[in-house]
């Protein structure tokens, strides 16, 4: 497995947000992380990304355990996160955004030609056809194009795991379809993708497996092809469904 989380727990003061969460994601697959508000999705992502330190448990990348103490540590392991706000600068162009904070230099000046070429090659490798001018400002792009730039920026740096936080939340139907196709292409190119979404139609359209969090605990991880939306909804809302889900210490569902 590319990423293995084992018994991850995290509390903020007296509030336990994550409790012994297990999850594994392999290269070449899309794993959707679903759960109601307050289930712990964002906290789990921030633990993987090095924003929050875990209280207990282990995070392993390709079998080796790592302490991820900062986003820099996560990036060094090939983990990149695209947050819902995208963290793009409207006044900068596509190339400048993709290399923001990681600019290439030629001597003491920016190597604009090299950056533009690498940006174009990355978008080409992802079969992106919706962005034709790499020098247009992000402010002039549609929501779907902005999401595409953010995802391309994440995969530019030899990433192995891309985490996408609600990438289609503010998009229309056509733009959503484009982003979902791009997510599928990431997996087809051998990347592991952790996809967080409230939209189960989108989840079932793109995910190989679905992991359902309930009040900080992992209710179940299911193959998308072998489950239904109603079953996932039950896991999200009650933590159990048809014999699956959270049990007590005696193996009995509450």
């Amino acid at each position: 497995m590319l990423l293995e989380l084992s018994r991850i727990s995290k509390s903020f003061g007296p509030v336990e947000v994550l409790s012994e969460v297990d999850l594994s994601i392999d290269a070449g697959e899309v794993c959707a992380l679903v759960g109601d508000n307050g289930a712990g999705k964002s906290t789990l992502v921030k633990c993987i990304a090095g924003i929050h330190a875990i209280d207990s448990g282990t995070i392993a990348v390709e079998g080796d355990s790592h302490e991820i103490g900062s986003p820099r540590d996560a990036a060094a392991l090939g983990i990149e996160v695209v947050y819902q706000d995208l963290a793009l600068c409207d006044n900068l162009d596509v190339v400048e955004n993709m290399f923001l904070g990681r600019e290439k230099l030629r001597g003491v000046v920016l190597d604009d030609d090299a950056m533009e070429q690498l940006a174009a090659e990355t978008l080409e490798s992802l079969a992106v056809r919706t962005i034709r001018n790499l020098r247009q400002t992000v402010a002039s792009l549609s929501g779907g194009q902005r999401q595409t730039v953010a995802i391309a920026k994440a995969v530019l740096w030899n990433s192995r795991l891309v985490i996408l936080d609600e990438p289609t939340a503010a998009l229309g139907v056509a733009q959503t379809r484009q982003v979902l196709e791009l997510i599928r292409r990431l997996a087809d190119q051998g990347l592991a993708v952790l996809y967080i979404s409230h939209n189960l139609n989108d989840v079932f359209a793109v995910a190989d497996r679905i992991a359902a969090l309930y009040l900080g605990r992992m209710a179940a991880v299911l193959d998308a092809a072998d489950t239904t939306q109603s079953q996932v909804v039950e896991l999200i809302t009650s933590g159990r469904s048809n014999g699956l889900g959270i049990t007590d210490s005696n193996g009995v569902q509450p």
Side-chain angles (χ1 to χ4, degrees), residues 43-114:
T43 300
L44 184 61
V45 167
K46 289 177 180 178
C47 287
I48 299 171
I51 296 173
H52 295 324
I54 61 175
D55 295 334
S56 61
T58 59
I59 300 176
V61 177
E62 293 188 331
D64 296 324
S65 296
H66 294 273
E67 290 188 12
I68 304 178
S70 69
R72 188 179 296 274
D73 291 341
L77 293 170
I79 299 171
E80 295 284 345
V81 185
V82 180
Y83 293 103
Q84 191 170 355
D85 63 7
L86 302 183
L88 299 176
C89 296
D90 284 352
N91 61 315
L92 300 181
D93 65 31
V94 173
V95 175
E96 290 167 335
N97 267 283
M98 290 178 66
F99 284 87
L100 187 62
R102 297 171 172 175
E103 292 83 359
K104 288 188 172 295
L105 299 176
R106 184 173 55 216
V108 296
V109 298
L110 293 176
D111 193 343
D112 287 322
D113 291 340

Side-chain angles (χ1 to χ4, degrees), residues 9-33:
S9 295
K10 176 65 180 177
S11 297
F12 295 100
V15 180
E16 187 178 48
V17 181
L18 298 173
S19 176
E20 298 189 341
V21 171
D22 294 332
L23 181 63
S24 61
I25 308 170
D26 208 356
E29 76 165 345
V30 178
C31 180
L33 181 63

Side-chain angles (χ1 to χ4, degrees), residues 175-249:
Q175 293 176 343
T176 293
R177 184 178 67 252
Q178 292 169 3
V179 171
L180 293 178
E181 290 173 352
L182 178 55
I183 292 171
R184 191 65 254 171
R185 287 197 293 272
L186 296 180
D188 291 343
Q189 291 186 7
L191 278 73
V193 180
L194 181 59
Y195 169 48
I196 297 90
S197 180
H198 283 94
N199 189 316
L200 292 185
N201 288 326
D202 292 353
V203 165
F204 275 89
V206 76
D208 299 299
R209 292 188 301 137
I210 301 172
L213 275 177
Y214 177 74
L215 297 179
R217 301 173 68 186
M218 188 61 74
V221 182
L222 305 169
D223 289 335
D226 298 330
T227 189
T228 63
Q229 285 200 28
S230 60
Q231 187 174 33
V232 174
V233 169
E234 288 176 356
L235 289 167
I236 290 172
T237 56
S238 67
R240 55 189 186 273
S241 174
N242 296 330
L244 292 172
I246 296 169
T247 59
D248 63 18
S249 59

